[in-house]
Amino acid sequence: MTICQNNKSVPKISLTRSSVNDLLTISDVAEHFQLQPSTVRRIVRNGQLSAHKIGRDYRLSWADVWMIEKAPQPRGAAQEARYRQSLITKVDIAAGMNVSIRTVDRWIASGLPTRNVGDNIRMNPQDAQEWLKAEFGLLAPLYPHLTDEPV
């Protein structure tokens, strides 16, 4: 079944209570990506990020959020929980490791896993922690996202 909106045929979406609780607001997505809400709204309006308009607000699913990240999609409940964490920036890693941003850029070129959003380079804190441990044997204090506790 479809509904018509502004002379466009839009598929009718059936939402259950649990799926409604899993929908994200623009602010939630902005926090996840470490971006400004206005940037996320612009990405949605440009059609790069799929969203459902409810009244004047947008709602997004985790699947849609992960689709825009230039990275592998999470598989299974454990990975989904992991990739719901807020992403961190190069600045966060540089501050946590007390190195320059250029050093972090070199690490990225060497294989530090990223989950990019457009031109914005972001990383999952656990992925970064595991890579740093494997590459250098270090546990990075990626505060406030992770501590130097073992992974």
Side-chain angles (χ1 to χ4, degrees):
M1 174 185 279
T2 60
I3 54 176
C4 287
Q5 203 171 36
N6 298 334
N7 295 326
K8 290 183 183 177
S9 185
V10 179
K12 186 174 181 180
I13 301 167
S14 62
L15 297 173
T16 63
R17 182 173 290 283
S18 63
S19 67
V20 169
N21 291 337
D22 286 343
L23 292 178
L24 305 166
T25 64
I26 292 288
S27 296
D28 295 335
V29 175
E31 183 180 322
H32 173 73
F33 287 142
Q34 298 292 316
L35 296 171
Q36 293 294 319
S38 59
T39 303
V40 176
R41 272 189 222 93
R42 187 179 69 245
I43 291 170
V44 168
R45 280 193 298 261
N46 290 343
Q48 296 170 301
L49 180 59
S50 180
H52 306 283
K53 194 162 188 177
I54 300 174
R56 293 184 57 175
D57 299 324
Y58 290 104
R59 295 293 184 267
L60 302 97
S61 70
W62 276 110
D64 292 332
V65 169
W66 292 324
M67 289 297 290
I68 196 171
E69 294 177 8
K70 295 176 186 151
Q73 298 300 303
R75 303 213 186 275
Q79 272 195 345
E80 284 185 11
R82 176 184 195 143
Y83 289 117
R84 288 181 185 212
Q85 283 184 303
S86 291
L87 302 179
I88 57 176
T89 65
K90 294 188 293 187
V91 173
D92 295 329
I93 289 184
M97 294 295 294
N98 199 24
V99 297
S100 71
I101 293 175
R102 290 184 68 185
T103 299
V104 177
D105 286 332
R106 284 192 293 275
W107 291 347
I108 291 169
S110 296
L112 178 64
T114 61
R115 300 191 70 78
N116 303 342
V117 181
D119 295 333
N120 302 291
I121 296 174
R122 301 293 187 259
M123 289 145 273
N124 178 276
Q126 288 182 326
D127 289 348
Q129 181 77 283
E130 288 174 0
W131 187 87
L132 290 167
K133 183 178 180 187
E135 194 72 16
F136 303 113
L138 299 173
L139 294 174
L142 301 176
Y143 181 81
H145 309 283
L146 290 177
T147 63
D148 55 0
E149 296 175 11
V151 285

